[in-house]
């Protein structure tokens, strides 16, 4: 099967510039439903599912390939090559912000700029870095995923989104999270939470727009400033008044105008 079919790639709208929307852990391309209608009149929009998302065939998930972010990054390059995109505005949420960064180091020509939402190069605290988590907390998280995936999903979704179980956004995230096969969810969670991409940042020369909620369970606000200081190219930071790790789902009225502004605005201009 081709890369395009395996990742459920859809090409919408038309325009001279291409915007690629890449989702984070536990979601799929449906997380962009509030943003897509605002882009399709002016841009060619590409949406796809990361391998391992509940909408992809679990038989295609290679545990060795996706043990590092590199495997996902090579998927992005493969998708862009297969559909003939020579340059794109890459909008990456959470893990996909870092996937885009890794892909841009290998193929900077494919990326006009990267818009990072809720991005982190490392989640674990060290002596001189605050990522938000201690190793023990992550061990507990992995244990919870392994022991009772459904119960973990029910508890994690409202914490990540920043709302109660009654909210539409929490229910939506719960649905896409629970659609993942538990062993695949565990593998992807370990890849994300145990990765350390800080040494790579200086090699990212593509302009980056760093967008962050003021309150995010997974990514402290200081991480956005760390990215800004350590990326190899031009970057800009915007902290939004939103709560939660999936603001494009939980606060679209705030986030959509911000994202549209960053899609249209160039740092270098």
């Amino acid at each position: 099967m081709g890369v395009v079919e395996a990742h459920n790639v859809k090409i919408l709208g038309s325009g001279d510039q291409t915007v690629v929307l890449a989702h984070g852990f536990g979601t799929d391309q449906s997380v962009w439903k509030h943003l897509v209608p605002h882009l399709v009149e002016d841009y060619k929009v590409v949406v796809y599912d990361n391998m391992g998302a509940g909408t992809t065939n679990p038989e295609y998930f290679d545990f060795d390939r996706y043990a590092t972010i590199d495997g996902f990054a090579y998927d992005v390059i493969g998708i862009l090559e297969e559909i003939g995109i020579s340059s794109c505005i890459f909008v990456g949420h959470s893990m996909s912000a870092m996937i885009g960064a890794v892909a841009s180091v290998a193929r900077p020509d494919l990326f006009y700029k990267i818009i990072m939402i809720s991005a982190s190069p490392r989640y674990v605290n060290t002596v001189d870095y605050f990522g938000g988590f201690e190793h023990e907390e992550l061990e507990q998280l992995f244990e919870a995923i392994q022991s009772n995936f459904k119960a973990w999903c029910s508890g994690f979704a409202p914490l990540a989104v920043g709302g109660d179980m009654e909210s539409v956004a929490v229910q939506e995230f719960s649905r896409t999270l629970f659609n993942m096969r538990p062993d695949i969810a565990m593998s992807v969670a370990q890849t994300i939470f145990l990765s350390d991409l800080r040494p790579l940042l200086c090699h990212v020369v593509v302009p980056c727009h760093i967008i962050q909620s003021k309150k995010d369970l997974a990514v402290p606000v200081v991480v956005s400033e760390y990215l800004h200081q350590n990326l190899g190219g031009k970057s800009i930071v915007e902290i939004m008044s939103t709560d939660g790790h999936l603001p494009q789902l939980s606060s679209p009225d705030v986030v959509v105008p911000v994202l549209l502004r960053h899609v249209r605005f160039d740092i270098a201009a």
Side-chain angles (χ1 to χ4, degrees), residues 121-169:
R122 178 182 168 97
Y123 291 86
V124 183
N125 301 329
T126 64
V127 175
D128 57 350
Y129 174 81
F130 183 66
F133 294 88
E134 297 296 337
H135 269 293
E136 299 74 28
E137 292 175 287
L138 292 180
E139 289 306 320
Q140 291 168 3
L141 178 115
F142 300 144
E143 198 176 305
I145 293 173
Q146 205 161 20
S147 60
N148 190 332
F149 183 60
K150 188 171 185 178
W152 175 77
C153 290
S154 298
F156 181 72
L159 289 173
V161 175
D164 58 42
M165 282 305 291
E166 302 306 308
S167 88
V168 174

Side-chain angles (χ1 to χ4, degrees), residues 45-86:
V45 180
V46 176
V47 289
Y48 70 94
D49 297 326
N50 280 317
M51 197 52 64
T55 44
T56 61
N57 186 337
E59 298 305 313
Y60 298 150
F61 188 85
D62 182 327
F63 287 88
D64 291 331
R65 177 182 175 89
Y66 299 112
T68 69
I69 293 293
D70 293 15
F72 295 99
Y74 286 120
D75 286 351
V76 170
I77 293 169
I79 289 168
L80 295 177
E81 287 182 335
E82 192 165 313
I83 61 177
I85 302 299
S86 58

